[in-house]
Every structure is written in C-alpha cells, then in structure tokens.
Amino acid sequence: MLRKLMLLFLIIFLFIEWGPLSDERARYGISSGDPFVKEVVLTFDDGPREHGMQELIEIFQSHDVKATFFLVGKFAERYGRITNALYNAGHELENHSYTHPRLYRLWVEKIQREAERCDEVFESLGIRKTRFLRPPGGHFNMKIFNAMRRMNLKLGLWSLNTADYTGRPPEEIVRLVLRSARPGDVILMHSGTPNTVEALPEVIKSLKAKGFNFVRLEELYSRGRI
Ligand SMILES: [Zn+2]
C-alpha cells in the first residue's frame, strides 16, 4: 500500500515538474514547449550580421522551415534590408535589446528604453511590435521583469544551447542537437556564425527524419498547451 502511494506521489510530482507548463509560468515567458509534442523552435541570436544571413534565408526556404530571430536593434537598423528580407520570408523577429548590454545591471527605465528602441527600429521598417524579449546572455532579474511587464513582453529563453558561438565544428553542432533534442525544445543558435550556417541543413534534415516539426516561438507559445 505504502509503495503504491509513493509511486502515485512520484507520478504526480513528475507530471508537475515535467508536464505542460502551468499558466503561471506561461504568463512570464517560455523556455520550452509541450514535452509531448514533437516540435522544436530554431532561434538565432545577435543578428542581423553583415555575412551569413542570406545563406540562412536560403537554407530555410529550401527546407520550408520558419525560425525565430532575436535581433539586436542597432544591427537591424544598420542592416535594414536583410532585416526586412527575414521578415518577408516569414520568420519571427523578436527583441534582443538595442545595444546588447548586460540588461540585469541597468535601471528599469534603461532596460525599458533598450527594448523600446529595438521596437522603434522594427516599427520604422514596417515590422510588428515584438512579443518576446531575450535578455543578452539569458540573464534576468526583477528589474527586467518589471520593464517587460510595462511593455507587455514575455521572456523568451531556450532549453537547448548549441554553444555555436564557441566556434565548434559543424559536425559537433549536428551531433549535439541530434543527441539532445527533445519534444518542445527551443534551440539556441547564433545569426551568421559560419559553422552554424554549415551545420544547419544537416540539423534540419536529421530532425525532420526523426519526426520533428519546426515552428516559431509565437506558435509554440500560443498553442495553449504551455
Ligand atoms: Zn546575444
């Protein structure tokens, strides 16, 4: 009897810990989706860059995949044409601040200003207001939450880090993603990193072969399962 009770508690605990996210958590943001649905989001930080962006657009187009880009406002301003090309290709563009500072060190007003300036650049390019903020480095605190609440932004984190910024070879990126990808994962990569561009076709092909679908963060979030 005791054993059965313990097993029941264990199942309930595991469901709460690993099951679909509660409303409470979903209200503030997202780091992964439904662990029972075979879909993932490819997210790209720090763009747009001078190089490698057109290649990304072409790879996504040839595999019929849409991704989510957390853009730095000042780069979106500098490379407006490629920012529009990303948007027109159906990718989701979200907020990664204007100058990529350590947001958690700033005052709430400054944090808000960073996010607003990124939105202003998007607006001047005819791109809709962002819904998610990914603070540089993924670090966040109450000040960031307060700024986000004022702007109606949600935290957009990740659950699988490819660490592509370390310059690891493309094969290693592919191997890591294939070994680690779980249903509902939000995969972190970086815009224009040459090794990532090289790894991407194989990442997409192999995940598709394993039965994964690719969605954008807004879809993962808005399905109501998180
Ligand atoms: Zn970044």
Side-chain angles (χ1 to χ4, degrees):
M1 181 64 190
L2 188 66
R3 271 193 176 183
K4 275 186 183 164
L5 256 179
M6 281 173 68
L7 188 66
L8 184 68
F9 279 128
L10 182 69
I11 289 169
I12 292 172
F13 171 78
L14 285 178
F15 184 78
I16 292 169
E17 271 302 292
W18 300 97
L21 297 182
S22 69
D23 286 352
E24 190 58 29
R25 284 167 71 186
R27 231 189 313 158
Y28 295 110
I30 181 169
S31 58
S32 62
D34 192 323
F36 301 110
V37 177
K38 254 188 151 178
E39 59 187 14
V40 293
V41 184
L42 294 174
T43 67
F44 289 78
D45 284 11
D46 298 356
R49 297 286 187 187
E50 192 178 357
H51 302 290
M53 304 306 295
Q54 192 56 42
E55 285 89 329
L56 284 181
I57 291 175
E58 281 162 21
I59 293 167
F60 284 130
Q61 198 171 7
S62 67
H63 290 91
D64 195 22
V65 166
K66 304 280 187 277
T68 298
F69 288 81
F70 283 91
L71 299 185
V72 176
K74 68 172 180 182
F75 294 147
E77 200 167 42
R78 190 179 306 165
Y79 306 116
R81 202 180 48 80
I82 196 77
T83 304
N84 274 128
L86 282 170
Y87 190 63
N88 293 337
H91 300 296
E92 178 185 6
L93 307 189
E94 297 292 354
N95 205 317
H96 198 40
S97 79
Y98 182 73
T99 62
H100 204 274
R102 291 176 181 162
L103 280 184
Y104 61 92
R105 288 189 173 175
L106 306 180
W107 295 110
V108 180
E109 280 68 26
K110 283 249 179 191
I111 297 169
Q112 188 176 345
R113 200 61 207 114
E114 277 283 337
E116 277 172 354
R117 285 184 78 187
C118 183
D119 264 344
E120 283 164 15
V121 173
F122 283 10
E123 199 188 339
S124 72
L125 293 169
I127 296 166
R128 67 146 174 74
K129 187 194 173 304
T130 55
R131 281 172 249 192
F132 294 96
L133 173 74
R134 177 172 284 173
H139 306 295
F140 59 92
N141 55 18
M142 279 317 289
K143 291 186 292 179
I144 294 178
F145 271 125
N146 284 335
M148 284 188 339
R149 220 171 287 149
R150 289 180 190 177
M151 296 186 62
N152 201 19
L153 281 170
K154 290 181 167 60
L155 195 63
L157 296 176
W158 62 87
S159 54
L160 173 54
N161 184 357
T162 61
D164 57 345
Y165 46 83
T166 58
R168 54 173 36 167
E171 315 83 65
E172 232 177 84
I173 297 174
V174 174
R175 220 177 306 133
L176 175 101
V177 174
L178 288 191
R179 200 180 51 221
S180 318
R182 301 278 175 270
D185 263 339
V186 178
I187 300 172
L188 169 65
M189 295 176 150
H190 288 78
S191 277
T193 311
N195 294 350
T196 307
V197 174
E198 220 178 307
L200 195 58
E202 196 52 40
V203 166
I204 293 173
K205 268 187 255 163
S206 312
L207 285 176
K208 273 189 176 175
K210 283 179 130 190
F212 282 98
N213 275 328
F214 294 89
V215 295
R216 296 168 298 188
L217 195 64
E218 57 189 345
E219 287 148 353
L220 199 76
Y221 185 84
S222 64
R223 287 203 203 290
R225 289 185 269 92
I226 47 171

